């Protein structure tokens, strides 16, 4: 199903480009700007099994995107400036914001040099447990254990299952089955329990992954001194906020900001919801983010920024730079708003 979905999306992007539909949809759906979502930026990896590759783009693709924006006179601005323009209704020039979720070290090593080439500001949303070195990147742990395994024994819904993982194709099927099941579990502690058990059985050092991939507080302190870099919050533990009690969600939202401000001695005024889809962030979370003092908070719901977004500052949509679609022909389609408009049934705002 996921492979079909990827093929369907790719075909849709190609159709919008080849037909020229994105050109005539642009005046209606490009909005006043866009916030772009990224996670990893690093060189291409040669491996048959990379189920999380949608979360990474190459430095070259990021460079192509920035060059495309500059070539179309789209201004790259900070989230503070985005907030100011939305509040002031200043839409004299289209803009773009770049945001990176989780706090990966490759954002410093590979994204920063590219952003410097274009004098382009960007925000890194930090998960405070990741910066402390004691968080759990369960989706990475899952990829590594499936990569190592030949078969996986697991109990799902009371049924004992044996998943084949002997070939790259079988590994992809097993990963997706386990990933989707883990996302349905009631709480973050349930995910941790299951992943920890699987890692133990397959010899994966789950605890080391965070320290391997994510920047520490010392590294973030140094990076935050960079003029182009601002730091936002991404919760304490990267949990699904919608599945938490209201008090736990409030703590995750408010205390992550407090921890980052205490560590970096800089104000934190912008937030990204972990996962960020409808199942992870909706009205309750939007209200909690506003009550916690954030100027803006972003989802992963696809969409451009419109003048009406000023009424939904803690429910802003973003446009994903997805590793599956690193093709220069995708860029004019993404910036036109045509792809997100079709995805949203031609609604301009998705903040319900």
């Amino acid at each position: 199903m996921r492979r079909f979905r990827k093929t369907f999306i790719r075909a849709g992007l190609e159709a919008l480009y080849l037909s020229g539909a994105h050109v005539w949809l642009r005046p209606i759906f490009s909005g006043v700007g866009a916030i772009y979502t990224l996670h990893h930026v690093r060189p291409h990896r040669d491996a048959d099994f990379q189920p999380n590759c949608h979360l990474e783009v190459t430095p070259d693709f990021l460079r192509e995107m920035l060059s495309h924006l500059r070539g179309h006179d789209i201004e790259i601005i900070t989230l503070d400036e985005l907030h100011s323009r939305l509040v002031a209704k200043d839409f004299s020039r289209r803009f773009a914001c770049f945001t990176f979720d989780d706090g990966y070290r490759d954002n410093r090593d590979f994204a920063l040099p590219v952003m410097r080439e274009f004098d382009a500001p960007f925000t890194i949303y930090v998960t405070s447990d990741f910066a402390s070195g004691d968080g759990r990147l369960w989706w990475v742990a899952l990829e590594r254990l499936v990569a190592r395994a030949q078969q996986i024994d697991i109990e799902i819904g009371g049924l004992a299952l044996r998943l084949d993982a002997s070939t790259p194709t079988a590994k992809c099927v097993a990963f997706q089955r386990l990933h989707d099941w883990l996302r349905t579990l009631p709480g973050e502690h349930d995910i941790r329990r299951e992943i920890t058990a699987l890692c133990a059985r397959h010899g994966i050092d789950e605890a080391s992954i965070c320290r391997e991939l994510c920047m520490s507080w010392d590294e973030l302190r140094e990076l935050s001194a960079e003029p182009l870099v601002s730091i936002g919050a991404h919760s304490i533990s990267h949990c699904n906020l919608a599945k938490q009690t209201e008090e736990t969600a409030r703590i995750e939202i408010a205390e992550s900001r407090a921890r980052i401000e205490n560590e970096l001695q800089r104000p934190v005024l912008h937030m990204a919801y972990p996962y960020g889809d409808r199942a992870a962030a909706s009205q309750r979370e939007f209200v909690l983010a506003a009550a916690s003092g954030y100027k803006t908070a972003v989802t992963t719901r696809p969409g451009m920024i419109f003048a009406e977004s000023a009424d939904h500052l803690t429910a802003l949509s973003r446009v994903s730079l997805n590793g599956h679609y690193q093709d220069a022909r995708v860029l004019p389609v993404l910036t036109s708003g045509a792809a997100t408009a079709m995805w949203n049934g031609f609604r301009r705002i998705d903040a319900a």
Side-chain angles (χ1 to χ4, degrees), residues 3-51:
R3 183 173 296 180
F4 172 77
R5 179 183 176 187
K6 182 172 70 174
T7 302
F8 178 78
I9 292 173
R10 184 183 297 279
L13 293 170
E14 287 281 338
L16 286 168
Y17 176 79
L18 293 173
S19 68
H22 67 288
V23 176
W24 55 267
L25 287 171
R26 183 184 296 123
I28 306 169
F29 292 109
S30 63
V32 297
I35 305 172
Y36 293 99
T37 311
L38 300 98
H39 291 80
H40 292 283
V41 176
R42 56 193 180 191
H44 175 73
R45 296 180 295 150
D46 289 319
D48 291 332
F49 176 64
Q50 296 186 56

Side-chain angles (χ1 to χ4, degrees), residues 33-37 79 82 86 95 97 99 125 273 276 286 297-306 309 312-320 340 344 347-352:
I35 305 172
Y36 293 99
T37 311
L79 289 173
L82 172 143
L86 286 176
F95 59 78
C97 293
T99 61
Y125 293 116
Y273 304 104
F286 303 158
V298 296
T299 69
T300 57
R301 299 184 188 190
M304 308 298 281
I305 300 300
F306 295 91
S309 299
H312 307 280
L313 290 171
T314 56
L316 297 175
S317 297
R318 290 190 285 177
V319 178
S320 173
T340 52
N344 291 325
R347 290 174 299 163
R348 289 158 64 95
I349 302 292
D350 180 15

Side-chain angles (χ1 to χ4, degrees), residues 333-349:
V333 177
L334 292 181
T335 55
S336 74
T340 52
M342 294 186 68
W343 184 272
N344 291 325
F346 297 99
R347 290 174 299 163
R348 289 158 64 95
I349 302 292

